[in-house]
Amino acid sequence: FGGVDILVNNASALWWQDMVDTPMKKYDLITSINSRGTFAMTQACLPHMIKGGFGRVITMSPPITSDHRKYAGFTAYNISKFGMTMSALGAAAEGEGHGVTGNSLWPATVIESLASINFKMGDPKTWRKASILSDCVLEIVNAGDDFTGNMLIDDTFLLSRGYTQDDLAKYRMDPDTEPLRLLAEHSETGNVVEDFKRGDVRALETDMTRSKL
């Protein structure tokens, strides 16, 4: 292609289970897809971006937290997803001065996708459309080289770029329902989201009976 300008690390495997309920084969799977896959893609693209003097590395992963309470039921998943965030931060550090930025992006609530549908992640009326993430990506790509090293939540990021609460309404799956910011609550605030069990569609019914989602 002659160059690489933008890398969006989006491919990911989900596993929301306690440590004692996490087989090592499952741990290896999610870390190989999430953190290792993101590192491999970023490593492969960075030289071309640096050579071209421009690059945008974006990972779909949550802000890193040191609050130990937020690891209950999410330890293996957090390890894999925070590894993705670290690749974005690494790209920010190693791309500085070369026109290359690195940022992570995470949704405030459940986004409509095959994963949210297949795993039955609550009432679809409380979800947002995937277009909120694509609009965030466009904002990040068009931002200057000094916008780097950030761990972003989609709605608060758009608000910081001049969007209003009324603007965000277009991303609702149900025009009359404002989504609860479940994922942001878990990432941004002192609130702890507990008892969200998902990971194997074959065990979905069992997970749902012991889950709040």
Side-chain angles (χ1 to χ4, degrees):
F1 301 105
V4 178
D5 296 324
I6 302 166
L7 169 64
V8 179
N9 290 301
N10 185 51
S12 189
L14 183 146
W15 185 257
W16 296 347
Q17 302 288 349
D18 292 347
M19 293 176 70
V20 296
D21 295 324
T22 301
M24 287 309 301
K25 286 181 65 175
K26 181 64 70 172
Y27 176 87
D28 291 342
L29 174 67
I30 63 173
T31 53
S32 66
I33 295 173
N34 299 357
S35 53
R36 188 181 188 279
T38 294
F39 181 88
M41 288 300 299
T42 305
Q43 181 190 62
C45 291
L46 269 179
H48 302 285
M49 292 177 170
I50 291 172
K51 181 180 179 180
F54 179 88
R56 298 291 183 262
V57 175
I58 303 167
T59 66
M60 296 297 179
S61 53
I64 297 169
T65 180
S66 60
D67 185 345
H68 71 279
R69 298 171 300 165
K70 296 184 179 182
Y71 287 78
F74 296 93
T75 302
Y77 185 71
N78 282 353
I79 290 170
S80 70
K81 295 297 287 187
F82 292 165
M84 294 177 67
T85 301
M86 288 179 180
S87 284
L89 298 178
E94 297 178 18
E96 193 168 15
H98 301 284
V100 178
T101 68
N103 295 282
S104 68
L105 175 65
W106 194 239
T109 192
V110 177
I111 299 294
E112 181 191 24
S113 67
L114 286 177
S116 58
I117 294 169
N118 291 338
F119 282 107
K120 298 182 180 179
M121 293 184 179
D123 187 342
K125 292 194 302 182
T126 66
W127 300 349
R128 279 189 173 136
K129 300 174 184 177
S131 54
I132 189 172
L133 294 176
S134 60
D135 285 350
C136 285
V137 168
L138 289 174
E139 289 285 344
I140 295 171
V141 167
N142 288 312
D145 294 347
D146 58 343
F147 189 80
T148 188
N150 300 292
M151 297 183 290
L152 307 167
I153 299 293
D154 57 3
D155 56 4
T156 54
F157 170 56
L158 290 179
L159 290 171
S160 76
R161 305 297 288 185
Y163 284 59
T164 67
Q165 289 291 348
D166 287 340
D167 293 329
L168 296 183
K170 68 182 178 182
Y171 301 118
R172 297 173 183 171
M173 287 292 294
D174 180 345
D176 299 320
T177 303
E178 177 62 22
L180 296 174
R181 302 179 74 249
L182 293 174
L183 302 181
E185 286 284 304
H186 192 65
S187 296
E188 290 181 323
T189 72
N191 296 332
V192 179
V193 178
E194 297 177 337
D195 297 330
F196 281 10
K197 303 298 183 188
R198 293 293 191 277
D200 187 339
V201 291
R202 295 168 299 182
L204 181 59
E205 296 304 320
T206 300
D207 283 341
M208 291 179 67
T209 60
R210 57 195 187 99
S211 174
K212 294 179 181 178
L213 179 67

